[in-house]
Amino acid sequence: MIHIGEDLPWPEDAIEVARILEPWGLKGWFHVQPYAADPQAVFSSKRWFILPPEGKPRPKDAPALPKVLRITQAKEHGDGVVATAQEVPDRHASEALKGARVFVSRNSFPTADPDEYYWVDLIGLAVVNREGADLGVVTDLIATGPHSVLRLSAGTEAEPVERMIPFVAAYIDSVDLQARRIVADWGLDY
């Protein structure tokens, strides 16, 4: 467990849900780009854990990023979200956050409806067909508009196999998050 300021532990179930964009206005508000079309995971927590952008060293004269933001307000605005936090009193402070990655505890996500799943919960699940044959492991999901598609990885390093299965009731028989398994009506030769 990583400890951050004020004895707040970094959540062991931390999920990256957004990144901070440019400032919005003069009073410390900032734009946030949620990674999901529905930003409820961003709104689900009033405590956002922050890490700098990957692959971009921060300038030496840049102020240190806070490790946690205590969100006082967050709301949808246009195609994204705007927010403000106790640690961000003005535009200058919000400029320092640009590019920061936002993480929240998975436990703070709203409860999904029956037969609805967060993508993060599906990644890593084993997928088998009705006969019990191994189809692969979910490595990613693709949004296609009307539905999502599971991207599976199978085979060996020398002979990798990639499968894509529409994540719809016509092909998905069951999802068991506890057993970390999905059963699909899908053949090995598809």
Side-chain angles (χ1 to χ4, degrees), residues 19-21 51-59 62 65 98-101:
R19 70 182 173 98
I20 297 176
L21 303 175
L51 287 177
E54 282 185 330
K56 291 184 180 180
R58 292 192 44 85
L65 282 176
K98 188 173 181 177
R101 298 178 294 148

Side-chain angles (χ1 to χ4, degrees), residues 110-128:
T111 302
D113 289 335
D115 295 328
E116 289 188 344
Y117 304 94
Y118 286 103
W119 284 16
V120 69
D121 294 335
L122 299 175
I123 293 174
L125 296 188
V127 181
V128 298

Side-chain angles (χ1 to χ4, degrees), residues 75-92:
K75 60 186 178 180
E76 290 189 61
H77 180 73
D79 289 343
V81 171
V82 292
T84 188
Q86 292 176 15
E87 297 76 14
V88 187
D90 56 31
R91 182 177 182 89
H92 179 70

Side-chain angles (χ1 to χ4, degrees), residues 46-63:
K46 294 294 184 186
R47 187 176 300 151
W48 294 358
F49 296 86
I50 304 298
L51 287 177
E54 282 185 330
K56 291 184 180 180
R58 292 192 44 85
K60 292 183 181 185
D61 60 343

Side-chain angles (χ1 to χ4, degrees), residues 139 151-154 160-164 190:
T139 58
R151 178 181 282 168
L152 309 180
S153 176
V161 174
E162 182 178 76
R163 288 190 178 88
M164 295 197 189
Y190 294 176

